[in-house]
């Protein structure tokens, strides 16, 4: 469905008390058994399987988006038996129970499970909405099972300003669920569930707000986590708020802000069992506060990003780092490095792509894998020492293990480990007071609260608590 600019101000919503689903599939009822498989002939829903955001960008089989974990990820065909998604395979000979193959040459669907007595549906439509009008509202609607390719961005694509999506479910779509490429959108009580690559994504979506939403099980098709898969990913966006939402079980970063995203507030969210909790990359100036992050390779990964206030979070069960800060060779001042926002000149001083000016305060850290780090900072390519990054680490409650803080030298390799608050403050800054929890716990303790800092207004206003509040760990009443 295309909503033209002439339809600005339109509202699309379900009738009261009605469950409305826009479904990208059709029922497939005619099957003939051929040996060990079942075949439906005359299938004409044949799609591009372009594996990038630009058609024809990579030679066949060489896309960085697709890895060996699922070579069929970019093929948007989908099939469901009684609502259970079947796995697509690359040849007729590979079809077994629970899988299917689309024979493009013969225009056939080949199914491994016996369809007799079951509802079988296959994707034959690629997108639900293309919105070009401004001030369009979509609410109370479910959108599922569209055969969207990567270059189509999503089953729902918003290109008109000031869109509103509320009580919308986007699920089981082949690649992207929702794509926002226009300013001032608001997504509230949106559920993005089990989409093939990204649940919600966007570019140049200035002023977007996402709140009270559920982002779960995305990257179902197991695209490579880099360069784009995530629960939510935005690029080149100025002013983004993500609040009061739950990110769980995404097979990539739960939240990823990348490529010149400036001015962000990530507050009052829960992250659990994502590949990475949240990632801030090539970006600048924001607040990451009052979140619970449980699990992931990194709980919070700050990469070529500066001016971040990390306050009153709980970090636990991370595989490598709780707050992991790193740097590589990329610079805003180099026009050949990808990721620039074309609306701003190269070398934009508001976003130099430098890991710098980061405050890590009032957080609780739980124990993780031995030998790993609760806080870590290292430039791995350009010889900037952690001392030169202007980092502040104080007012936190750490676990007795693993390493409390790993502090990088200026040789791209050396990391000095600090195991106690006294060792850190003695080496780096005598005003840095932190506490160790005994026994190991992510729950705040009296010792942790004793070292906590008064919350600055720039953070308190985003979280929704009084300025000057003194507490280690999250303000639980603000969490979903």
């Amino acid at each position: 469905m295309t909503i033209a600019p002439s339809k600005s101000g339109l509202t699309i919503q379900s009738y009261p008390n009605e469950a409305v689903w826009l479904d990208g599939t059709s029922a497939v009822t005619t099957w003939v058994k051929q040996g060990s498989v079942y075949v439906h002939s005359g299938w004409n829903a044949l799609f591009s399987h372009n594996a990038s955001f630009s058609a024809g960008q990579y030679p066949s089989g060489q896309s960085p988006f697709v890895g060996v974990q699922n070579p069929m990820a970019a093929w948007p065909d989908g099939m469901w038996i009684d609502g259970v998604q079947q796995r697509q395979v690359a040849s007729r000979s590979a079809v077994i129970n629970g899988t299917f193959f689309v024979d493009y040459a013969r225009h056939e669907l080949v199914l491994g499970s016996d369809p007799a007595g079951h509802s079988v549906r296959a994707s034959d439509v690629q997108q639900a909405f293309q919105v070009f009008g401004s001030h369009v509202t979509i609410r109370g609607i479910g959108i599922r099972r569209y055969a969207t390719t990567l270059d189509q961005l999503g089953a729902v694509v918003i290109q008109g300003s000031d869109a509103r999506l509320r009580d919308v479910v986007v699920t089981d779509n082949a690649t992207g669920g929702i794509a926002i490429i226009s300013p001032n959108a608001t997504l509230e009580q949106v559920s993005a569930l089990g989409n093939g690559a990204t649940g919600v994504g966007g570019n140049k979506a200035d002023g977007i707000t996402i709140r009270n939403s559920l982002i779960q099980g995305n990257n179902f098709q197991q695209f490579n986590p880099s360069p784009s898969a995530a629960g939510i990913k935005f690029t080149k966006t100025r002013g983004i708020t993500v609040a009061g939402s739950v990110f769980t079980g995404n097979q990539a970063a739960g939240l990823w802000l990348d490529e010149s995203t400036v001015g962000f507030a990530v507050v009052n969210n829960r992250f659990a069992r994502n590949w990475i909790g949240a990632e801030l990359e090539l970006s600048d100036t924001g607040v990451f506060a009052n979140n619970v992050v449980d699990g992931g390779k990194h709980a919070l990964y700050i990469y070529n990003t500066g001016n971040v206030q990390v306050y009153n979070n709980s970090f636990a069960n991370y595989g490598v780092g709780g707050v992991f800060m790193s740097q590589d060779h990329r610079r805003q001042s180099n026009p050949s490095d990808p990721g620039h926002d074309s609306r701003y000149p190269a070398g934009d001083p508001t976003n130099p792509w430098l890991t710098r000016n980061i405050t890590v305060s009032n957080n609780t850290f739980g124990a993780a894998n031995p030998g790993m780090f609760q806080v870590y900072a290292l430039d791995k390519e350009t010889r900037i020492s952690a001392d030169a990054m202007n980092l502040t680490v104080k007012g936190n409650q750490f676990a007795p293990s693993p390493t409390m803080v790993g502090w990088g030298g200026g040789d791209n390799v050396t990391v000095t480990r600090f195991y106690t608050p006294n060792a850190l403050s003695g080496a780096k800054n005598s005003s840095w007071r932190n506490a160790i929890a005994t026994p190991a716990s992510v729950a705040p303790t009296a010792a942790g609260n004793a070292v906590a800092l008064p919350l600055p207004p720039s953070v308190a206003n985003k979280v929704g608590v009084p300025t000057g509040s003194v507490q280690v760990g999250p303000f639980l009443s603000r969490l979903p």
Side-chain angles (χ1 to χ4, degrees):
M1 179 185 302
T2 298
I3 301 175
S6 61
K7 299 296 183 181
S8 293
L10 180 69
T11 294
I12 301 172
Q13 67 181 44
S14 59
Y15 189 81
N17 301 316
E18 292 291 333
V20 175
W21 284 96
L22 302 183
D23 195 313
T25 65
S26 292
V28 184
T29 57
T30 306
W31 297 92
V32 176
K33 188 173 184 181
Q34 295 182 6
S36 62
V37 300
Y38 302 84
V39 176
H40 171 83
S41 299
W43 184 253
N44 293 311
L46 309 178
F47 308 115
S48 164
H49 46 277
N50 180 57
S52 77
F53 293 130
S54 300
Q57 183 175 4
Y58 300 106
S60 178
Q62 297 183 26
S63 170
F65 291 81
V66 176
V68 296
Q69 67 276 10
N70 183 14
M72 299 298 293
W75 292 69
D77 315 275
M79 188 173 293
W80 289 259
I81 299 179
D82 295 336
V84 177
Q85 190 165 3
Q86 307 296 289
R87 181 172 62 88
Q88 188 172 9
V89 295
S91 67
R92 184 180 295 248
S93 62
V95 175
I96 59 174
N97 190 53
T99 70
F100 73 99
F101 169 64
V102 184
D103 191 326
Y104 277 44
R106 298 181 181 179
H107 291 247
E108 292 179 342
L109 296 177
V110 183
L111 184 61
S113 301
D114 187 349
H118 300 281
S119 169
V120 180
R121 302 190 68 89
S123 296
D124 58 355
V125 181
Q126 293 201 275
Q127 289 183 300
F129 289 108
Q130 282 269 8
V131 178
F132 295 96
S134 62
H135 297 276
V136 170
T137 297
I138 301 173
R139 63 187 177 209
I141 293 174
I143 297 150
R144 65 188 178 195
R145 302 173 180 172
Y146 284 84
T148 308
T149 55
L150 281 175
D151 54 341
Q152 291 175 314
L153 303 181
V156 178
V157 179
I158 305 296
Q159 300 189 58
S161 67
D162 298 277
R164 299 292 182 268
L165 278 70
R166 181 183 173 91
D167 298 317
V168 170
V169 177
V170 286
T171 183
D172 292 341
N173 298 291
T175 55
I178 297 171
I180 310 290
I181 48 178
S182 56
N184 302 323
T186 298
L187 280 63
E188 188 167 16
Q189 294 175 207
V190 166
S191 296
L193 314 172
N195 295 289
T198 300
V200 180
N203 183 58
K204 298 180 180 177
D206 296 356
I208 186 170
T209 296
I210 302 172
R211 58 175 174 250
N212 304 333
S213 293
L214 175 61
I215 313 299
Q216 178 175 299
N218 296 290
N219 197 23
F220 180 82
Q221 293 294 339
Q222 296 183 293
F223 284 87
N224 287 335
S226 177
S228 70
I232 290 178
K233 181 172 184 181
F234 278 84
T235 56
K236 303 178 180 68
T237 293
R238 299 260 169 161
I240 176 171
T241 298
V242 181
S245 297
V246 175
F247 298 76
T248 181
N250 297 288
Q251 298 182 56
L255 172 67
W256 189 357
L257 305 181
D258 192 13
E259 292 191 347
S260 304
T261 291
V262 177
F264 52 86
V266 181
V267 297
N268 306 342
N269 303 288
R270 290 186 182 271
F271 298 83
R273 302 184 307 282
N274 304 290
W275 181 66
I276 289 176
E279 181 168 355
L280 312 173
E281 182 176 3
L282 296 175
S283 296
D284 211 281
T285 312
V287 172
F288 188 92
N290 207 55
N291 303 288
V292 171
V293 189
D294 190 344
K297 179 180 179 181
H298 308 294
L300 173 61
Y301 191 10
I302 301 175
Y303 196 26
N304 292 39
T305 294
N307 296 295
V308 185
Q309 294 175 289
V310 182
Y311 273 82
N312 290 90
N313 303 284
S314 170
F315 301 112
N317 300 315
Y318 35 86
V320 175
V323 176
F324 197 93
M325 296 171 280
S326 192
Q327 178 72 48
D328 67 14
H329 68 279
R330 293 172 294 175
R331 295 291 188 274
Q332 171 72 238
S333 57
N334 185 357
S336 65
D337 285 338
H340 292 81
D341 187 336
S342 60
R343 299 172 298 175
Y344 299 88
D348 176 10
T350 68
N351 183 25
W353 301 354
L354 287 171
T355 299
R356 60 176 188 159
N357 307 334
I358 297 171
T359 298
V360 180
S361 293
N362 296 4
N363 305 284
T364 60
F365 293 84
N369 295 337
M372 295 297 105
F373 302 88
Q374 297 176 70
V375 171
Y376 175 98
L378 176 66
D379 180 332
K380 298 179 180 179
E381 296 188 27
T382 61
R383 300 182 182 278
I384 300 173
S385 68
D387 287 332
M389 292 178 181
N390 191 31
L391 309 178
T392 299
V393 182
K394 62 180 179 179
N396 303 287
Q397 175 183 294
F398 291 98
S401 65
T403 301
M404 192 183 89
V405 173
W407 201 261
D411 61 358
N412 300 337
V413 176
T414 301
V415 176
T416 302
R417 294 174 181 255
F418 297 99
Y419 296 94
T420 67
N422 287 343
L424 179 66
S425 62
K428 296 303 169 187
N429 191 313
S430 61
S431 71
W432 289 5
R433 297 177 63 232
N434 295 283
I436 294 288
T438 305
S441 173
V442 293
T445 67
N449 283 321
V451 302
L453 305 175
L455 205 59
S458 56
V459 178
N461 292 340
K462 297 285 194 303
V463 172
V465 298
T467 296
S469 297
V470 179
Q471 176 175 305
V472 68
F475 299 89
L476 298 178
S477 65
R478 305 296 302 170
L479 291 169

